[in-house]
Structures are given as structure tokens and as C-alpha cells.
Short mmCIF file of all heavy atoms in Angstrom, two decimals:
data_model
loop_
_atom_site.label_atom_id
_atom_site.label_comp_id
_atom_site.label_asym_id
_atom_site.label_seq_id
_atom_site.Cartn_x
_atom_site.Cartn_y
_atom_site.Cartn_z
N ILE A 117 0.83 -1.20 0.00
CA ILE A 117 0.00 0.00 0.00
C ILE A 117 0.87 1.25 0.00
O ILE A 117 0.52 2.27 -0.63
CB ILE A 117 -0.97 0.00 1.21
CG1 ILE A 117 -1.91 1.20 1.16
CG2 ILE A 117 -0.21 -0.05 2.52
CD1 ILE A 117 -2.81 1.26 -0.03
N HIS A 118 2.00 1.20 0.64
CA HIS A 118 2.88 2.37 0.70
C HIS A 118 3.45 2.70 -0.68
O HIS A 118 3.54 3.88 -1.05
CB HIS A 118 4.01 2.13 1.71
CG HIS A 118 3.51 1.78 3.08
ND1 HIS A 118 2.87 2.70 3.88
CD2 HIS A 118 3.53 0.61 3.77
CE1 HIS A 118 2.52 2.12 5.03
NE2 HIS A 118 2.92 0.86 4.98
N GLU A 119 3.78 1.68 -1.45
CA GLU A 119 4.26 1.91 -2.80
C GLU A 119 3.15 2.48 -3.69
O GLU A 119 3.39 3.37 -4.50
CB GLU A 119 4.79 0.60 -3.40
CG GLU A 119 6.06 0.10 -2.74
CD GLU A 119 6.45 -1.29 -3.22
OE1 GLU A 119 5.62 -2.22 -3.07
OE2 GLU A 119 7.57 -1.44 -3.76
N VAL A 120 1.96 1.98 -3.51
CA VAL A 120 0.83 2.45 -4.31
C VAL A 120 0.49 3.90 -3.95
O VAL A 120 0.25 4.73 -4.84
CB VAL A 120 -0.39 1.54 -4.12
CG1 VAL A 120 -1.63 2.15 -4.76
CG2 VAL A 120 -0.11 0.16 -4.72
N VAL A 121 0.48 4.20 -2.67
CA VAL A 121 0.21 5.58 -2.24
C VAL A 121 1.26 6.53 -2.80
O VAL A 121 0.95 7.64 -3.27
CB VAL A 121 0.16 5.66 -0.70
CG1 VAL A 121 0.17 7.11 -0.23
CG2 VAL A 121 -1.09 4.95 -0.18
N GLY A 122 2.53 6.11 -2.77
CA GLY A 122 3.59 6.95 -3.33
C GLY A 122 3.41 7.19 -4.82
O GLY A 122 3.59 8.30 -5.31
N SER A 123 3.02 6.14 -5.54
CA SER A 123 2.78 6.27 -6.97
C SER A 123 1.58 7.17 -7.24
O SER A 123 1.60 8.02 -8.15
CB SER A 123 2.53 4.88 -7.58
OG SER A 123 2.08 4.97 -8.91
N ASN A 124 0.54 7.01 -6.45
CA ASN A 124 -0.68 7.80 -6.63
C ASN A 124 -0.43 9.29 -6.45
O ASN A 124 -1.05 10.13 -7.13
CB ASN A 124 -1.73 7.31 -5.64
CG ASN A 124 -3.09 7.96 -5.84
OD1 ASN A 124 -3.69 8.46 -4.89
ND2 ASN A 124 -3.59 7.96 -7.06
N ALA A 125 0.51 9.64 -5.56
CA ALA A 125 0.79 11.05 -5.27
C ALA A 125 1.34 11.79 -6.49
O ALA A 125 1.16 13.01 -6.61
CB ALA A 125 1.78 11.15 -4.10
N THR A 126 1.98 11.07 -7.39
CA THR A 126 2.60 11.72 -8.56
C THR A 126 1.89 11.37 -9.87
O THR A 126 2.32 11.81 -10.94
CB THR A 126 4.08 11.32 -8.67
OG1 THR A 126 4.19 9.89 -8.79
CG2 THR A 126 4.85 11.78 -7.43
N SER A 127 0.83 10.59 -9.80
CA SER A 127 0.14 10.15 -11.00
C SER A 127 -0.98 11.11 -11.38
O SER A 127 -1.60 11.75 -10.51
CB SER A 127 -0.46 8.75 -10.78
OG SER A 127 -1.22 8.34 -11.90
N LYS A 128 -1.28 11.20 -12.66
CA LYS A 128 -2.43 12.00 -13.10
C LYS A 128 -3.73 11.23 -12.96
O LYS A 128 -4.81 11.79 -13.17
CB LYS A 128 -2.24 12.46 -14.54
CG LYS A 128 -2.25 11.35 -15.59
CD LYS A 128 -2.10 11.94 -16.99
CE LYS A 128 -2.13 10.88 -18.07
NZ LYS A 128 -2.01 11.46 -19.44
N TYR A 129 -3.62 9.95 -12.59
CA TYR A 129 -4.80 9.11 -12.45
C TYR A 129 -5.13 8.85 -10.99
O TYR A 129 -4.24 8.75 -10.14
CB TYR A 129 -4.58 7.75 -13.13
CG TYR A 129 -4.30 7.84 -14.60
CD1 TYR A 129 -3.02 7.57 -15.09
CD2 TYR A 129 -5.29 8.19 -15.51
CE1 TYR A 129 -2.75 7.65 -16.45
CE2 TYR A 129 -5.03 8.27 -16.87
CZ TYR A 129 -3.75 8.01 -17.34
OH TYR A 129 -3.49 8.09 -18.68
N GLY A 130 -6.41 8.71 -10.70
CA GLY A 130 -6.81 8.15 -9.44
C GLY A 130 -6.70 6.63 -9.50
O GLY A 130 -6.60 6.06 -10.59
N TYR A 131 -6.72 5.97 -8.34
CA TYR A 131 -6.56 4.52 -8.28
C TYR A 131 -7.74 3.89 -7.53
O TYR A 131 -8.24 4.45 -6.55
CB TYR A 131 -5.29 4.13 -7.53
CG TYR A 131 -3.97 4.53 -8.14
CD1 TYR A 131 -2.79 4.34 -7.42
CD2 TYR A 131 -3.87 5.09 -9.41
CE1 TYR A 131 -1.55 4.69 -7.95
CE2 TYR A 131 -2.65 5.45 -9.95
CZ TYR A 131 -1.49 5.26 -9.21
OH TYR A 131 -0.26 5.61 -9.75
N VAL A 132 -8.14 2.72 -7.99
CA VAL A 132 -9.07 1.88 -7.22
C VAL A 132 -8.36 0.58 -6.90
O VAL A 132 -7.95 -0.15 -7.81
CB VAL A 132 -10.37 1.59 -7.98
CG1 VAL A 132 -11.33 0.82 -7.07
CG2 VAL A 132 -11.04 2.86 -8.49
N LEU A 133 -8.20 0.28 -5.61
CA LEU A 133 -7.64 -1.00 -5.20
C LEU A 133 -8.75 -2.06 -5.33
O LEU A 133 -9.87 -1.85 -4.86
CB LEU A 133 -7.12 -0.94 -3.77
CG LEU A 133 -6.10 0.16 -3.46
CD1 LEU A 133 -5.59 0.02 -2.03
CD2 LEU A 133 -4.94 0.13 -4.44
N THR A 134 -8.43 -3.17 -5.95
CA THR A 134 -9.43 -4.22 -6.21
C THR A 134 -8.83 -5.57 -5.86
O THR A 134 -8.42 -6.32 -6.74
CB THR A 134 -9.90 -4.19 -7.68
OG1 THR A 134 -8.74 -4.19 -8.53
CG2 THR A 134 -10.71 -2.93 -7.97
N GLU A 135 -8.81 -5.87 -4.58
CA GLU A 135 -8.15 -7.09 -4.12
C GLU A 135 -8.96 -8.33 -4.50
O GLU A 135 -10.18 -8.30 -4.59
CB GLU A 135 -7.92 -7.04 -2.62
CG GLU A 135 -7.28 -5.75 -2.12
CD GLU A 135 -5.90 -5.45 -2.70
OE1 GLU A 135 -5.34 -6.29 -3.41
OE2 GLU A 135 -5.38 -4.35 -2.43
N HIS A 136 -8.23 -9.43 -4.70
CA HIS A 136 -8.86 -10.68 -5.10
C HIS A 136 -9.72 -11.27 -3.99
O HIS A 136 -9.26 -11.43 -2.86
CB HIS A 136 -7.79 -11.74 -5.41
CG HIS A 136 -7.05 -11.52 -6.68
ND1 HIS A 136 -7.66 -11.54 -7.92
CD2 HIS A 136 -5.74 -11.29 -6.93
CE1 HIS A 136 -6.75 -11.33 -8.86
NE2 HIS A 136 -5.58 -11.17 -8.28
N MET A 137 -10.96 -11.61 -4.34
CA MET A 137 -11.81 -12.37 -3.44
C MET A 137 -12.44 -13.50 -4.26
O MET A 137 -13.44 -13.31 -4.96
CB MET A 137 -12.90 -11.50 -2.82
CG MET A 137 -13.72 -12.23 -1.79
SD MET A 137 -12.80 -12.58 -0.26
CE MET A 137 -13.11 -11.08 0.67
N ASP A 138 -11.82 -14.66 -4.22
CA ASP A 138 -12.30 -15.83 -4.96
C ASP A 138 -12.75 -16.90 -3.97
O ASP A 138 -11.97 -17.78 -3.59
CB ASP A 138 -11.19 -16.38 -5.87
CG ASP A 138 -11.02 -15.59 -7.15
OD1 ASP A 138 -10.71 -14.39 -7.08
OD2 ASP A 138 -11.19 -16.17 -8.22
N TYR A 139 -13.99 -16.80 -3.55
CA TYR A 139 -14.52 -17.80 -2.64
C TYR A 139 -14.56 -19.17 -3.32
O TYR A 139 -14.81 -19.29 -4.52
CB TYR A 139 -15.94 -17.43 -2.21
CG TYR A 139 -16.04 -16.19 -1.37
CD1 TYR A 139 -16.65 -15.04 -1.86
CD2 TYR A 139 -15.56 -16.16 -0.06
CE1 TYR A 139 -16.76 -13.89 -1.08
CE2 TYR A 139 -15.65 -15.03 0.73
CZ TYR A 139 -16.26 -13.90 0.21
OH TYR A 139 -16.38 -12.76 0.99
N ASN A 140 -14.29 -20.20 -2.54
CA ASN A 140 -14.31 -21.61 -3.01
C ASN A 140 -13.22 -21.90 -4.02
O ASN A 140 -13.31 -22.88 -4.76
CB ASN A 140 -15.68 -21.98 -3.60
CG ASN A 140 -16.81 -21.84 -2.60
OD1 ASN A 140 -16.59 -21.52 -1.44
ND2 ASN A 140 -18.03 -22.08 -3.05
#
């Protein structure tokens, strides 16, 4: 998350974190 936050601070894009949830 720290790497992503650092990248987000200098990016022209917003980010959506979408973690894997694969039940079963």
C-alpha cells in the first residue's frame, strides 16, 4: 500500500484497489 500511495501522489490518475476475493 505504501508503494501504491507513493505512486498515486505523482500520477495524473486516481486509483481503485481491487483485491482478489475468490470464494471456493
Side-chain angles (χ1 to χ4, degrees):
I117 184 62
H118 304 291
E119 292 172 302
V120 170
V121 168
S123 171
N124 186 230
T126 59
S127 176
K128 66 178 181 179
Y129 300 109
Y131 295 172
V132 185
L133 305 185
T134 51
E135 311 301 353
H136 287 297
M137 185 71 88
D138 281 60
Y139 293 112
N140 299 357

